[in-house]
Amino acid sequence: MKYDVLQVLGMVLLAVCAQALVRLLVDEGERGPLDGLPGGFLPLLLAYAVLTATGVLLTGWAHSRAKALGRR
């Protein structure tokens, strides 16, 4: 159950941050959920990229752990 929850959280993090990253690249004025982050375009771009990668890694790790336990 724990890995199922972590997998869902990773997928939500991935979906939200990837969408915000694409919107930031298409329209620089659309800053997304991290609008209050200081520093301008580049720090915001890096933050979304790191959070997107974190979502991918968390989802993959939770899936592989659940699979190792025989839940997949």
Side-chain angles (χ1 to χ4, degrees), residues 47-61:
Y48 281 130
V50 167
L51 288 172
T52 300
T54 302
V56 168
L57 292 174
L58 179 62
T59 302
W61 176 80

Side-chain angles (χ1 to χ4, degrees), residues 14 29 41 60:
L14 172 63
F41 177 76

Side-chain angles (χ1 to χ4, degrees), residues 1 3-4 7 11 15-17 21 23 39 43 47-49 52 59 62 66:
M1 178 76 174
Y3 296 117
D4 296 333
Q7 190 173 359
M11 287 186 290
V16 169
C17 291
L21 180 63
R23 283 185 180 206
Y48 281 130
T52 300
T59 302

Side-chain angles (χ1 to χ4, degrees), residues 33-53:
L34 296 180
D35 188 28
L37 190 69
F41 177 76
L42 187 59
L44 191 62
L45 180 71
L46 291 174
Y48 281 130
V50 167
L51 288 172
T52 300

